[in-house]
Amino acid sequence: MTSILSFFLLFISCLMNVHGRAISSQESHIMLPSEKLESFTHLHFFFHDILDGEKATTLKIINPPSESSHGPFGSTYVIDNPLTKEQNLSSKLIGRAQGTYALASQQGDFAFKMDINFIFIEGKYKGSTLTMLGRNVIVNEIREMPIVGGTGAFRFASGYALAKTVWYNSTSGNAIEEFNITISHL
């Protein structure tokens, strides 16, 4: 109880004194993030997952043990995938998707744990990023994953990403995913 009281008194004294001077009632108001106007943004782009060839953008970094009875469970990939404005890989490059994903389900539903940063290199969001962290059940037609943060224009971002596979090559594993992202941010 004494330590709680000591902490409370220390906290109050810090509030009463800023850099060695008392706070006056005439000091200017500092706007807190919760007081700023919130913006909503919708983004649409295509994510190119390229696992083969000289210009592969996805590398498998962990293979499960060959004697594993869990199939591909544990397979882990690192990515630096192009994000384009249109479905065609030769369309305008607007950013990169960098991060990792791993097959995290043993139940056969092919659920990946995704941790990806979307880095924007063009347009009004140039230099800004979004972070997606969540479960991606790739056998579902539309998958929803959370957006948990961002930088630059997307500071304090939160929202969701909807992903849809628009093309998949079962031999190479290459895929094109269409992303629709809706976020709120400052």
Side-chain angles (χ1 to χ4, degrees):
M1 187 68 171
T2 304
S3 62
I4 293 173
L5 181 58
S6 297
F7 174 78
F8 180 75
L9 291 174
L10 178 64
F11 179 74
I12 294 298
S13 69
C14 288
L15 288 177
M16 298 297 291
N17 190 356
V18 175
H19 300 292
R21 61 182 174 79
I23 299 174
S24 75
S25 61
Q26 296 175 352
E27 291 206 30
S28 63
H29 177 74
I30 297 171
M31 185 174 277
L32 299 173
S34 62
E35 296 176 292
K36 292 183 179 179
L37 296 177
E38 190 172 29
S39 298
F40 288 87
T41 300
H42 176 260
L43 301 167
H44 177 258
F45 54 82
F46 293 86
F47 170 107
H48 299 267
D49 207 13
I50 306 166
L51 285 87
D52 69 343
E54 286 183 24
K55 297 189 179 195
T57 60
T58 299
L59 298 175
K60 191 174 199 178
I61 57 172
I62 298 175
N63 278 317
S66 59
E67 66 276 356
S68 172
S69 63
H70 303 292
F73 172 71
S75 297
T76 303
Y77 302 82
V78 63
I79 67 167
D80 185 10
N81 292 342
L83 304 176
T84 60
K85 187 172 177 128
E86 304 296 332
Q87 183 174 336
N88 190 324
L89 181 57
S90 63
S91 72
K92 183 174 182 161
L93 181 70
I94 62 163
R96 308 290 300 180
Q98 298 172 340
T100 59
Y101 60 86
L103 190 56
S105 174
Q106 297 183 55
Q107 281 66 48
D109 57 358
F110 292 100
F112 283 99
K113 187 272 308 166
M114 312 282 287
D115 60 287
I116 296 175
N117 292 307
F118 297 112
I119 296 98
F120 297 95
I121 61 171
E122 283 292 322
K124 69 180 183 177
Y125 303 123
K126 182 178 181 177
S128 299
T129 67
L130 286 173
T131 300
M132 180 178 74
L133 175 65
R135 187 171 193 261
N136 181 3
V137 182
I138 62 172
V139 295
N140 292 348
E141 181 181 2
I142 307 278
R143 287 97 59 203
E144 182 175 338
M145 291 162 278
I147 298 296
V148 298
T151 64
F154 302 128
R155 192 170 291 133
F156 294 108
S158 64
Y160 64 95
L162 297 176
K164 177 181 180 181
T165 303
V166 293
W167 179 82
Y168 175 70
N169 181 313
S170 61
T171 304
S172 66
N174 295 347
I176 301 172
E177 309 290 333
E178 181 178 18
F179 272 84
N180 282 288
I181 296 178
T182 302
I183 54 169
S184 64
H185 56 95
L186 297 181

